[in-house]
Amino acid sequence: MIFDFDGTLIDSGNDLATAVNHTLRTLGIPVLEKDRIIEFVGDGVRKLIERSLGDAFHDKFDEALDIFMSYYDKHLLDTTGLYPGVLETLDYFRIKKKVIVTNKLYGFTLKIAKGLKIAQCFDDIIGANSSLYKKPDLRVIRPLMKKYDVEDKHTVVIGDGNNDVLVAKNTGVLSCAMLNGLGNKDELLQLKPDYFCENIKELKNLFE
């Protein structure tokens, strides 16, 4: 079971948006609506900052990235918490091989996972800088399947982002879209995931 992180296991939208707007405010750039910032999440921190700055302030990228990284590292657990049912679901599947694969940086991911006491539930945690590749590239998934000797039909990617459904399709494994996360529900359904659910607890009814 390959889980996305932001928007799937953790509700991190507020802290991400706050960190982005702190960055913009520090640079004297107009802040953005939270929902707009959430639209930029999913392709890693560099893309998040790039999109938040827009073309008009692209020259501020390096400075903005430094400000964001420093601030978010100190505030990534201010309001971030687990979605309802996460602990119960991870415990239910405790004998399954479970991995986090996220485009979030590994350090941030591990810090949050430890802070919310779920790091020990996973056999592996793969962040954006843990691999040469990122979702939706199949080369971030294939080595894990080989490592744990798991077949395509016995592997599922669970996530709230387009990249989660796409990496599953690119790899030839099952996909399960989480419709209650940070991703766009309509866009996810248009990608025709193999399964979808509104609450992570529904996974218990979908997979053995």
Side-chain angles (χ1 to χ4, degrees):
M1 303 182 83
I2 297 170
F3 289 87
D4 176 47
F5 199 53
D6 294 270
T8 299
L9 298 172
I10 63 164
D11 186 358
S12 55
N14 283 332
D15 287 340
L16 286 167
T18 299
V20 167
N21 275 335
H22 167 81
T23 302
L24 298 178
R25 196 177 293 111
T26 301
L27 293 172
I29 298 170
V31 298
L32 301 171
E33 293 291 331
K34 174 188 169 183
D35 289 348
R36 182 62 173 157
I37 296 171
I38 296 305
E39 292 177 5
F40 300 152
V41 174
D43 293 302
V45 65
R46 297 183 69 86
K47 284 294 184 183
L48 173 61
I49 297 303
E50 182 181 300
R51 291 163 178 164
S52 298
L53 289 173
D55 293 337
F57 300 101
H58 183 71
D59 60 317
K60 301 282 189 181
F61 177 81
D62 290 339
E63 190 178 356
L65 183 62
D66 287 344
I67 294 168
F68 176 90
M69 294 281 285
S70 177
Y71 182 89
Y72 187 62
D73 186 54
K74 298 180 181 72
H75 297 276
L76 45 68
L77 282 168
D78 282 2
T79 64
T80 293
L82 299 174
Y83 279 106
V86 167
L87 286 176
E88 173 188 333
T89 303
L90 293 177
D91 182 63
Y92 180 85
F93 290 110
R94 59 188 173 276
I95 65 169
K96 299 289 186 185
K97 292 294 183 185
K98 295 182 294 301
V99 179
I100 292 172
V101 175
T102 175
N103 286 342
K104 195 184 197 77
L105 291 172
Y106 175 78
F108 291 155
T109 304
L110 185 62
K111 194 169 184 176
I112 293 172
K114 285 184 174 180
L116 298 179
K117 297 178 170 55
I118 60 168
Q120 74 282 358
C121 299
F122 296 92
D123 298 278
D124 238 326
I125 296 177
I126 306 298
N129 49 342
S130 304
S131 168
L132 294 175
Y133 310 102
K134 296 195 300 182
K135 296 182 293 187
D137 194 312
L138 64 86
R139 289 172 290 184
V140 75
I141 300 294
R142 277 292 168 197
L144 292 167
M145 295 173 65
K146 184 176 181 181
K147 178 178 180 178
Y148 295 109
D149 192 25
V150 182
E151 298 177 14
D152 293 9
K153 63 182 178 180
H154 294 145
T155 303
V156 59
V157 178
I158 301 151
D160 72 304
N162 293 357
N163 281 334
D164 301 305
V165 178
L166 292 172
V167 76
K169 290 182 178 295
N170 290 343
T171 311
V173 302
L174 297 172
S175 58
C176 181
M178 298 299 304
L179 303 181
N180 63 325
L182 302 178
N184 184 292
K185 183 175 178 177
D186 293 334
E187 288 183 10
L188 281 170
L189 291 175
Q190 286 173 11
L191 292 173
K192 302 188 184 309
D194 297 295
Y195 303 93
F196 59 85
C197 50
E198 295 277 359
N199 187 298
I200 199 166
K201 290 189 288 187
E202 295 174 46
L203 294 178
K204 294 186 288 184
N205 302 321
L206 297 175
F207 306 105
E208 297 180 354

